[in-house]
């Protein structure tokens, strides 16, 4: 089995990001997972056990003072060094802002082919074949890389399962201090709200609200239903533009693409741009006053009615069941 | 200062977007072609800096079919000083690796202090070309900026990542990409439309940029589409009108589907 490099994302507080299990599961589908961890000196060793439990057979700890100050280039340098050390069959990053940046610069540096936003991966002979969900799931596309190394960004949470726990072999490397090519991080504004709710990306249930909620205060109804279902909170662009919620919650073509087991659309008309971000959900429920709203065309269960009467009744029904 | 804005032609998102099943490429005849709105916002960033700094030169660059001409002309009408259109039939089906190589060559030809692009297109949506271009040019990049302040020697801004915001800066020359948090583009004025016709408009082939595909791309990995399948349209399921009991019916539906 060939080595598969997986660039692990580390949170502002030094922990493994939620994307890690799925990324290592993706690596394990293809070969032997090698977790590449880029930290300030001494900060990576504490993560080794956890990575082993998630199936990383090898951990490559690249450490340098510039990590946290230089934007993206330390991760690129680390992966480039790991490529030489492990001769991998593929290099995986998370399809996040940072993961894509790293993959992009690395591909340009080592003349690799870059495959973006894979939702599944497999080997065919010596080629990695990636599956993509394109135009909001309207098409399924398979792609591969010809004539050079393969780098893949993997959609967060798309690949399920977990590799068997192992005791990893650890390699430690120091990052050189080279770089006139890097932007500089001046400040980290850690504005991720501490919330018991699951994050939108990779959530198994999502409740989204649209302009039909009417105001920022009334948008709270979306949050109440999300909490009753244990779901993440999303929104249409109209609701974001109206200031009901922050842009981080936007589902759709210019926001987050989700593919949950259950998607509940409240007061969302279902413009094509919104549908592009959610129509691969397994089950779609829509509640809207307008019987002609296009969201009903793709809903498995549609209710023509007022969200402010239907949703409280639904929450009550859910809560009375959970008490039984 | 010279600011180059990268623009991409995409199928209009207000229509149905089609993939050609035989090639896996976007069927650009199947829908109206427009310059991606995010790229017009990128141009607006450059033009608003030019408004306050008259010595700034703004160049719009696009790689694509002849249909790109319309979008580049619009860029000139909005206020860009010149346009470069990279047009070559050998580029049909170019992946991000090829595209970034060609754009880097075009930028080397035009010269630049700052390159501004949209963060990701509405069709491919890869969001990787700006950083690839930066690596090929050996300059810093800052992508996904939600705010931008340009000065003579650098660019400062905030970028959002999944885990919060970063305030970052880069020395020039640099490549940046911006998100739709930045202002909408201005409309071309009549005077701008008239003067656009007299502005320099260069059409460059790969040969003009010093690229021979057989040599430049030898040994470079390239992503290719193997297969494209149109997913069957999602059928609508049950639809009821609330007569006072819909919330309970929905709860029953969720229970039946093991979704509670």
């Amino acid at each position: 089995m060939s080595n598969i490099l997986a660039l692990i994302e580390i949170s502002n507080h030094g922990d493994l990001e939620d994307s890690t299990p799925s990324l290592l599961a993706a690596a394990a589908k293809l070969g032997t997972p090698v977790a590449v961890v880029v930290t300030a000196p001494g900060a990576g060793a504490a993560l080794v056990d956890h990575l082993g439990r998630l199936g990383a057979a090898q951990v490559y700890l690249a450490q340098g003072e510039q990590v946290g100050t230089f934007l993206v280039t330390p991760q690129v340098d680390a992966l480039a060094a790991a490529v030489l050390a492990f001769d991998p069959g593929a290099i995986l990053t998370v399809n996040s802002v940072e993961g894509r940046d790293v993959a992009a610069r690395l591909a340009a540096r080592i003349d690799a082919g870059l495959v973006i936003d894979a939702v599944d991966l497999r080997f065919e002979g010596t080629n990695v074949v990636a599956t993509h969900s394109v135009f909001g799931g309207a098409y399924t596309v398979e792609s591969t890389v010809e004539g050079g190394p393969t780098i893949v960004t993997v959609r967060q949470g798309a690949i399920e399962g977990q590799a068997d726990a192992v005791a990893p072999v650890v390699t430690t490397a120091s990052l050189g201090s080279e770089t006139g090519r890097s932007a500089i991080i001046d400040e980290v504004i850690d504005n991720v709200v501490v919330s018991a709710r699951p994050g939108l990306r990779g959530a198994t249930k999502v409740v989204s609200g649209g302009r039909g909620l009417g105001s920022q205060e009334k948008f709270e109804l979306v949050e109440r239903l999300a909490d009753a279902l244990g779901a993440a909170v999303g929104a249409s662009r109209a609701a974001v533009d109206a200031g009901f919620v922050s842009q981080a919650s936007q589902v759709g073509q210019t926001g987050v693409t989700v593919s949950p087991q259950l998607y509940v659309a409240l007061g969302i008309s279902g413009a094509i741009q919104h549908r592009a971000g959610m129509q691969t959900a397994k089950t779609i429920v829509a509640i809207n006053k307008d019987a002609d709203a296009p969201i009903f065309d793709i809903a498995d269960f549609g209710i023509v009615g007022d969200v402010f009467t239907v949703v409280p009744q639904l929450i009550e029904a859910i809560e009375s069941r959970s008490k039984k | 200062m010279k600011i180059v804005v990268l623009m991409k032609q995409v199928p209009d998102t207000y229509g149905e977007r089609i993939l050609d099943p035989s090639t896996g490429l976007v069927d650009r005849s199947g829908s109206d072609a427009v310059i991606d709105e995010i790229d017009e916002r990128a141009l607006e960033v450059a033009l608003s800096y030019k408004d306050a700094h008259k010595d700034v030169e703004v160049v719009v660059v696009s790689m694509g079919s002849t249909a790109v001409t319309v979008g580049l002309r619009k860029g000139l009408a909005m206020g860009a000083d010149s346009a470069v259109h990279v047009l070559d039939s050998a580029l049909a089906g170019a992946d991000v690796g090829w595209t970034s190589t060609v754009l880097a060559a075009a930028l080397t030809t035009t010269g630049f202090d700052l390159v501004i692009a949209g963060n990701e297109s509405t069709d491919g949506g890869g969001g990787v070309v700006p950083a690839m271009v930066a690596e090929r040019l050996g300059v810093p990049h800052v992508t996904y900026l939600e705010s931008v302040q340009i000065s003579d020697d650098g660019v400062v801004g905030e970028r959002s990542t999944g885990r919060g915001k970063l305030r970052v800066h880069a020395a020039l020359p640099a490549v940046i990409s911006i998100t739709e948090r930045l202002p909408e583009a201005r409309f071309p004025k009549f005077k701008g439309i008239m003067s656009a016709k007299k502005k320099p408009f260069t059409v460059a082939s790969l040969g003009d940029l010093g690229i021979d595909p057989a040599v430049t791309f030898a040994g470079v990995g390239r992503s290719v589409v193997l297969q494209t399948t149109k997913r069957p349209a999602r059928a609508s399921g049950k639809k009821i009108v609330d007569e006072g009991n819909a919330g309970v019916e929905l709860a029953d539906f969720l229970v039946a589907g093991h979704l509670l």
Side-chain angles (χ1 to χ4, degrees):
Chain A
M1 280 210 299
S2 61
N3 289 320
I4 307 297
L5 299 186
L7 178 66
I8 305 302
E9 297 204 340
I10 312 290
S11 77
N12 297 337
H13 307 289
D15 311 317
L16 301 181
E17 282 283 349
D18 296 344
S19 57
T20 306
S22 172
L23 190 69
L24 286 171
K29 281 189 93 164
L30 295 175
T32 305
V34 180
V36 176
V37 179
V38 185
T39 65
L47 304 170
V48 170
D49 283 351
H50 193 176
L51 289 165
R53 288 199 298 279
L54 296 173
Q58 302 237 23
V59 177
Y60 183 81
L61 292 180
Q63 312 191 104
E65 296 289 350
Q66 69 268 46
V67 177
T69 308
F70 289 175
L71 186 69
V72 172
T73 48
Q75 286 77 12
V76 181
D77 293 346
L79 274 179
V83 167
L84 294 177
F86 290 94
D87 187 25
I91 303 146
L92 311 185
T93 72
V94 178
N95 190 53
S96 59
V97 169
E98 181 183 291
R100 282 189 285 182
D101 266 3
V102 174
R105 282 200 90 120
L106 183 70
R109 192 177 295 181
I110 68 171
D111 284 339
L114 177 54
V115 169
I116 305 155
D117 197 20
V119 297
D120 202 5
L121 289 167
R122 67 176 192 276
F123 259 117
E124 250 177 43
T126 56
N127 281 343
V128 175
V129 175
T131 307
H132 311 266
S133 182
V134 176
F135 287 163
Y139 294 87
T140 300
V141 173
E142 288 189 350
S143 71
T144 191
V145 168
E146 290 177 346
T150 301
I151 303 178
V152 184
T153 71
V154 183
R155 185 178 292 187
Q156 277 127 300
I159 295 176
E160 291 171 2
Q162 188 174 323
D164 295 334
V166 283
V169 178
V170 179
T171 311
T172 306
S174 293
L175 289 166
S177 56
E178 173 273 331
T179 197
R181 287 182 287 189
S182 184
I184 304 297
I185 301 169
D186 297 310
E187 190 185 357
V188 177
I189 307 159
D190 196 353
N191 66 351
V192 176
V193 184
V194 180
S195 163
R197 270 182 214 126
L200 188 53
R201 272 177 214 276
T204 55
K205 295 176 189 173
V206 175
V207 179
S208 283
R211 205 199 301 267
L213 270 297
S215 72
Q216 190 178 358
E217 291 72 38
K218 291 180 180 168
F219 197 85
E220 178 255 359
L221 184 67
V222 176
E223 294 164 4
R224 276 176 52 209
L225 179 58
D227 290 344
L229 288 167
V233 170
S236 69
R237 179 167 182 174
V240 170
D241 285 349
F244 300 171
V245 272
S246 80
Q247 203 246 337
S249 306
Q250 186 175 319
V251 172
Q253 196 163 289
T254 51
V256 176
T257 299
V258 296
S259 204
Q261 298 292 314
L262 172 65
Y263 189 89
V264 183
L266 304 178
I268 290 176
S269 64
I272 194 165
Q273 291 85 353
H274 184 75
R275 280 160 35 197
M278 45 66 74
Q279 66 187 358
T280 56
K282 199 156 268 175
T283 300
I284 296 173
V285 171
I287 307 175
N288 202 304
K289 259 194 236 176
D290 176 6
D292 297 324
I295 192 79
F296 288 126
D297 297 342
I298 58 165
D300 299 288
F301 193 97
I303 297 172
V304 182
D306 184 352
V307 290
F308 295 105
T309 56
V310 177
V311 174
Q313 189 181 55
L314 171 63
I315 292 171
E316 198 178 308
I318 293 167
E319 284 171 352
S320 70
R321 267 167 220 278
S322 64
K323 280 183 200 132
K324 276 177 199 167
Chain B
M1 182 190 292
K2 185 181 271 187
I3 302 178
V4 182
V5 177
L6 302 179
M7 306 195 101
K8 185 184 184 189
Q9 177 208 342
V10 295
D12 196 334
T13 56
Y14 284 89
E16 189 187 359
R17 298 171 300 166
I18 300 164
L19 286 184
D20 181 336
S22 61
T23 63
L25 304 179
V26 175
D27 181 352
R28 296 188 191 274
S29 66
S31 31
D32 287 342
V34 294
I35 284 287
D36 211 336
E37 196 231 353
I38 193 69
D39 300 334
E40 294 190 351
R41 288 177 194 247
L43 178 56
E44 180 60 37
V45 172
L47 294 177
S48 51
Y49 187 67
K50 182 182 164 78
D51 289 342
H53 301 83
K54 295 298 170 201
D55 59 333
V56 170
E57 181 188 349
V58 176
V59 184
V60 284
V61 172
S62 187
M63 175 185 129
S65 70
T66 49
V68 166
T69 310
V70 179
L72 286 174
R73 291 254 177 242
K74 185 179 176 192
L76 293 174
M78 285 164 66
D81 298 291
S82 62
V84 177
H85 177 189
V86 183
L87 173 67
D88 199 306
S89 56
L91 288 171
D95 73 338
V96 290
W98 281 33
T99 302
S100 60
T101 302
V102 172
L103 290 175
L107 288 162
T108 305
T109 308
T110 59
F112 65 95
D113 296 295
L114 178 63
V115 178
I116 311 180
N119 61 333
E120 56 186 57
S121 65
T122 51
D123 58 350
V128 294
V129 167
M132 293 184 90
V133 167
E135 178 70 22
R136 295 193 192 284
L137 294 168
V139 302
H141 81 273
V142 198
T143 51
Y144 290 79
L145 285 174
E146 298 190 337
S147 66
V148 184
Q149 292 96 44
I150 301 166
S151 66
D152 279 342
D153 51 1
V155 56
V156 179
E158 283 185 350
R159 84 195 293 243
S160 255
T161 68
R163 52 177 182 270
K165 265 188 196 173
L166 299 179
R167 204 160 54 75
V168 293
H169 77 267
L172 299 185
V175 176
I176 65 170
S177 78
I178 57 108
T179 71
E180 61 169 4
R181 292 292 100 191
L182 280 137
E184 274 182 40
R186 64 194 64 189
F187 285 104
K189 296 200 179 84
F190 181 71
K191 197 176 147 205
I193 294 168
M194 295 313 289
S195 66
K197 291 174 182 162
K198 300 188 199 88
K199 289 178 176 174
F201 192 109
T202 309
V203 179
S205 67
L206 287 181
D208 295 333
L209 298 177
I211 292 175
D212 175 353
V215 177
T216 308
F217 300 128
V220 177
R222 182 187 185 197
S223 61
V224 290
V225 173
L226 297 173
Q227 189 181 317
T228 302
T229 327
K230 190 167 180 6
R231 200 175 288 189
R234 218 186 152 101
S236 59
K238 190 175 175 184
K239 183 173 167 188
I240 62 168
V241 176
D242 180 27
E243 286 168 350
N245 202 35
V248 174
E249 285 184 59
L250 177 51
D252 292 340
F253 171 82
L254 295 176
V255 169
H258 305 286
L259 291 164
L260 278 189

